[in-house]
């Protein structure tokens, strides 16, 4: 099922997750200036890539970026056109610097989300960019610990896995049980698979910001 009005995240065949429980520490929120820099970076990347098929050169600005943007975070980039989802791909776990993750996932969201055709340069002016910077993951043992409106959630059972960012359930108007049912469907499982033995649950929070925010 495709939820075109949400920041739905593309489900992969395998989501690498920590083997041990990881506590979510209080995530230091990005400053307004850092958010503006990341959104500008994503916008410039989108414009450059859709026109040239290549990413912009950053050699002249990398040294001037704030240190936090060079740290590793999980990050997703969501593209919306007229309020409708146009692409969303990201990294669950920290795998590269935050600024590089924004570049990579802007490109992937615009060209490699299989649910949509690649973004055309003519569309760029109609697209709004949203960035979600993820906290560390925490493994939970009871889905009742999943807090709608606060947490993003990942489920995994065998080779099947799927993820929703924290804003998805809110945008769709879902409660906890309904969110978990849709997440199971997204993973290719039965709607009630989240009630079965062997299901793994991971939660996380996200610092979500988008173009047009008054940060």
């Amino acid at each position: 099922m495709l939820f075109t009005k949400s920041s739905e995240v593309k489900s992969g065949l395998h989501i690498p997750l920590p083997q041990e429980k990881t506590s979510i520490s209080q995530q230091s929120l990005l400053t307004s200036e850092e958010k503006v820099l990341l959104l500008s970076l994503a916008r410039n990347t989108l414009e450059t890539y859709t026109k040239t098929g290549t990413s912009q050169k950053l050699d002249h600005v990398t040294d001037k970026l704030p240190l936090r943007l060079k740290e590793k975070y999980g990050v997703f980039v969501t593209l919306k056109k007229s309020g409708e989802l146009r692409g969303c791909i990201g990294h669950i776990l920290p795998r590269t610097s935050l600024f590089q993750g924004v570049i990579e996932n802007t490109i992937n969201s615009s060209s490699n989300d299989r649910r949509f055709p690649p973004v055309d340069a003519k569309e760029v002016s109609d697209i709004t960019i949203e960035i979600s910077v993820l906290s560390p993951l925490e493994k939970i043992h009871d889905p009742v610990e999943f807090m709608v409106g606060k947490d993003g959630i990942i489920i995994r059972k065998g080779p099947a896995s799927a993820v929703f960012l924290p804003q998805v359930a809110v945008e769709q108007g879902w409660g906890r049980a309904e969110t978990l049912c849709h997440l199971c469907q997204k993973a290719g499982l039965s709607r009630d698979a989240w009630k079965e033995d062997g299901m793994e649950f991971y939660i996380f929070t996200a610092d979500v910001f988008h173009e047009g925010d008054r940060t």
Side-chain angles (χ1 to χ4, degrees):
M1 181 179 290
L2 179 63
F3 309 110
T4 56
K5 292 186 178 181
S6 74
S7 302
E8 184 195 4
V9 183
K10 180 181 178 183
S11 177
L13 293 177
H14 175 66
I15 297 176
L17 299 172
Q19 297 302 310
E20 302 296 332
K21 181 174 180 177
T22 304
S23 294
I24 292 181
S25 58
Q26 181 64 39
Q27 183 181 9
S28 298
L29 297 179
L30 297 170
T31 66
S32 297
E33 291 76 14
E34 289 166 341
K35 292 178 182 180
V36 169
L37 277 172
L38 289 176
L39 288 168
S40 177
L41 181 61
R43 171 60 57 180
N44 290 337
T45 297
L46 181 63
E47 291 177 350
T48 301
Y49 189 79
T50 54
K51 289 178 182 177
T52 68
T54 60
S55 59
Q56 57 186 319
K57 303 296 183 182
L58 291 176
D59 297 342
H60 63 294
V61 299
T62 301
D63 292 339
K64 300 178 181 179
L65 290 173
L67 290 178
R68 179 149 42 182
L69 303 192
K70 298 179 183 179
E71 296 175 357
K72 293 182 178 181
Y73 287 89
V75 61
F76 279 77
V77 175
T78 301
L79 307 180
K80 293 183 179 180
K81 182 178 179 181
S82 302
E84 302 291 328
L85 185 66
R86 186 62 179 83
C88 181
I89 293 182
H91 304 148
I92 301 266
L93 298 178
R95 53 189 279 188
T96 187
S97 62
L98 181 53
F99 83 88
Q100 188 62 44
V102 167
I103 293 172
E104 291 179 9
N105 291 319
T106 299
I107 292 173
N108 284 331
S109 294
S110 66
S111 60
N112 294 322
D113 190 329
R114 296 178 183 176
R115 297 168 296 180
F116 305 99
V119 173
D120 186 270
K122 296 178 181 178
E123 295 180 81
V124 170
S125 61
D126 297 323
I127 286 177
T128 301
I129 299 172
E130 179 179 271
I131 297 174
S132 301
V133 181
L134 277 53
S135 73
L137 302 181
E138 179 184 4
K139 186 174 183 178
I140 59 175
H141 299 287
D142 190 328
V144 73
E145 298 178 59
F146 163 53
M147 304 299 292
V148 174
K150 175 191 173 192
D151 300 326
I153 186 164
I154 301 165
I155 60 167
R156 182 172 68 178
K157 187 172 185 181
S161 60
V163 55
F164 280 148
L165 293 177
Q167 57 266 44
V168 172
V170 175
E171 292 174 352
Q172 296 296 328
W174 296 333
R176 180 186 293 113
E178 192 173 7
T179 301
L180 291 168
C181 287
H182 283 298
L183 194 55
C184 287
Q185 286 182 304
K186 185 179 178 185
L189 302 169
S190 67
R191 283 178 57 87
D192 291 329
W194 60 276
K195 301 177 183 178
E196 300 172 359
D197 293 339
M199 181 66 75
E200 296 180 33
F201 303 90
Y202 296 82
I203 58 174
F204 58 92
T205 58
D207 190 3
V208 183
F209 49 98
H210 55 81
E211 292 176 320
D213 277 346
R214 293 186 176 183
T215 54

